Amino acid sequence: MRPARTAVVVGAGVAGLATAVGLIRTGWQVTLLERAERLRAEPTALLLWPAGVRALEELGVGHGLDAVSTPAPDRGLRRPDGQWLVQPGPSRTAEPPRLIHAEDLHDALVAGLSDRVEIRTGTAIRRAAAGDRPAVTDGRHTWQADLVVAADGVDSVLRPRVARAGVPVSAGATSWRAVIPWYRAPQLPPDLAEGGYTAGGGYQFYSAELGQRGATGATSRGGRFWRATVVGAPRPEPPETQLALLRRWFEGWHAPIGELLAATEPGDLVQQELRTLRPAPDRYAVPIGPGALVLTGDAGHAMPEQLGQGAGLALEDAATLVALVREATPGPALHAAVDGYQRLRRKRIGEVLRRSRRLGGTGPLAGRAALQARWREQAAVTVASWEPPAESSPR
C-alpha cells in the first residue's frame, strides 16, 4: 500500500480551499492553515469565466453551479452620458462568464472538504521553515509535509522561498464592489436591467444581475451587483464617507448607476486596492528534499482586475496542480509533477497577464474605444481557453 501523502495548504481563500478539496479527493492528507479566526468569504460577487467553471468541474465541485450563478454581460461599452462607444455584439466565447456570490462559491468549496483535512484557523504563518522537507512555521509551531501550497495571497510570506522576483505594488487604482439584495434593489426597465460597462475620465462602472428577482433557487444572496474602479489609492475614511464619495464621483452618469449607488448601504461596500506583482515571479514551484513548495492564486500572479480573472485563475491553479500530483509520490515523481505545474502555469499566466496589461488603465478614451473593445474580446478568448491537463482529476 502506498504511504499516505501529506500536504499543508496555507490560506483558505478560493485558491487554498480549491486546492485542499482537490488534494483530498485524490488521496492526500491535508492540513489547512488560515490566518483569520474562521473560514469566511467577502459579501460580494465574483466573475467566473468558462475556464474557471471547467476547473471547478475538474475538482468535483461544479455541480449545482447553475443554480447559484448567473450569466454576466461582458460586451459593449458606454460613456458616462449613456452613449454607446461600442455596441454589444456576439461574444467570441462559447459561454459567457458567470457571476456568483463569493459566499456561495465559498460554501461549495467548504462542502467539498472531508475528515481527511485538519483545519487550523487563527494561524498566521510567518515563513517557510528550514529543513530537508517542505515546512512552514508561525513562530511557535512547525508543520512539515510532502507538499506545501502557498495560497496566502498577494502579500505571501512564502513566495520569497520560491521566487526571486515578484514584489506587490499598487496598480494605481482602487475598486469598490457591492451586492444590493433584491429587497433593496431598484426596479429597472429591461433595457437597463442587464447592466454592462461604462468608462470615462479614469473611472469605470460595471453592473449585472445576480440571480433573478423573486426567483426561488439554491441561493438567497441574489441582487444587483456593481463594481466601481477609480484611479487612486484606497480611501481611509469609514464606509459611509466612501459611499458618499462614490455617489459624488459618479453623479450625472447614465441610469441606472445613480439608482444603484443610492440603493447601496455602507455595509454593502467591499473596498480593494488593485495590486500586482512586479516583476512577475520567475518561478511557481521549488523542490525541497523529496517534496515541494508551490505558489497558487494571488501568491503567484496577482494582477489588476481588468478581466475579472482572479478567482478563475486560482481555480485553474488548483485543478492543474491536483491533476498533475494525483499519482505522484515524494521524490522524482513529485518533482516532475510540480515542474509540469510550473511550466503550464507560467505559460498560461503570461498569456493572461499580457492581455490584462494591454487593456490597462481604468477608462479608455472614446477615440480608442473600438480598439479597447477588440482587445477585450481577444482577451476574453484567451481567458476562456484553458483546458485541464491530460492527467485529469476525478469528477
Side-chain angles (χ1 to χ4, degrees):
M1 178 180 295
R2 181 173 62 189
R5 298 166 299 166
T6 59
V8 169
V9 178
V10 181
V14 172
L17 285 173
T19 305
V21 168
L23 290 174
I24 291 165
R25 289 173 178 248
T26 52
W28 290 72
Q29 186 73 45
V30 177
T31 300
L32 180 62
L33 308 177
E34 167 58 30
R35 174 189 295 269
E37 293 300 326
R38 63 188 181 95
L39 303 186
R40 60 185 301 179
E42 291 181 323
T44 185
L46 301 169
L47 203 62
L48 286 185
W49 290 81
V53 175
R54 284 195 293 274
L56 275 175
E57 293 170 347
E58 286 296 313
L59 292 165
V61 289
H63 55 276
L65 184 66
D66 288 347
V68 293
S69 65
T70 310
D74 192 63
R75 302 188 304 278
L77 177 68
R78 295 178 187 265
R79 67 184 192 185
D81 63 5
Q83 180 178 335
W84 285 106
L85 292 170
V86 179
Q87 289 277 357
S91 174
R92 292 177 62 186
T93 60
E95 296 290 337
R98 300 192 71 85
L99 192 66
I100 184 171
H101 201 288
E103 292 175 346
D104 284 326
L105 178 58
H106 174 88
D107 288 351
L109 293 172
V110 169
L113 301 175
S114 72
D115 57 6
R116 292 183 64 86
V117 62
E118 176 188 5
I119 301 173
R120 289 178 176 254
T121 56
T123 302
I125 294 303
R126 294 185 178 182
R127 64 184 182 277
D132 57 1
R133 295 181 66 208
V136 295
T137 180
D138 65 355
R140 296 178 302 167
H141 304 287
T142 298
W143 290 266
Q144 281 191 333
D146 300 313
L147 179 67
V148 171
V149 179
D152 51 343
V154 64
D155 293 310
S156 172
V157 299
L158 300 178
R159 183 170 54 246
R161 180 65 179 84
V162 179
R164 293 183 296 274
V167 177
V169 298
S170 173
T174 301
S175 76
W176 284 263
R177 293 172 290 165
V179 175
I180 308 169
W182 283 124
Y183 72 88
R184 278 197 278 114
Q187 292 272 7
L188 300 178
D191 62 322
L192 297 178
E194 186 181 41
Y197 286 96
T198 303
Y203 298 82
Q204 274 191 3
F205 197 94
Y206 172 80
S207 67
E209 290 184 318
L210 179 57
Q212 295 182 338
R213 188 188 298 269
T216 58
T219 182
S220 59
R221 298 173 176 133
R224 293 200 180 275
F225 168 74
W226 62 260
R227 181 184 70 229
T229 307
V230 178
V231 170
R235 304 298 302 199
E237 298 92 346
E240 292 81 2
T241 305
Q242 294 176 30
L243 183 56
L245 287 170
L246 287 164
R247 289 169 176 166
R248 188 176 74 196
W249 292 334
F250 289 94
E251 185 177 5
W253 284 45
H254 69 81
I257 294 172
E259 291 85 342
L260 293 175
L261 289 172
T264 302
E265 295 184 354
D268 300 329
L269 288 184
V270 175
Q271 179 184 215
Q272 179 186 16
E273 180 185 18
L274 302 186
R275 293 193 289 165
T276 187
L277 297 178
R278 191 168 297 158
D282 51 352
R283 301 177 71 180
Y284 290 107
V286 62
I288 302 175
L293 170 60
V294 302
L295 303 177
T296 63
D298 284 351
H301 48 70
M303 62 183 78
E305 61 173 17
Q306 277 90 358
L307 298 172
Q309 72 277 24
L313 288 177
L315 292 169
E316 290 178 30
D317 289 345
T320 302
L321 179 63
V322 168
L324 293 174
V325 304
R326 177 182 180 183
E327 300 296 336
T329 53
L334 182 57
H335 292 170
V338 298
D339 183 65
Y341 169 80
Q342 175 169 257
R343 184 175 61 256
L344 290 174
R345 295 316 289 160
R346 283 188 66 181
K347 179 180 179 182
R348 169 66 169 164
I349 298 304
E351 291 172 350
V352 176
L353 185 58
R354 283 191 294 273
R355 295 293 189 184
S356 183
R357 285 175 175 169
R358 194 177 192 184
L359 285 171
T362 57
L365 299 174
R368 300 181 64 203
L371 181 59
Q372 286 276 346
R374 184 163 67 252
W375 285 348
R376 181 174 291 278
E377 284 289 302
Q378 293 170 351
V381 173
T382 298
V383 170
S385 64
W386 176 85
E387 293 291 343
E391 299 90 339
S392 179
S393 55
R395 299 300 177 96

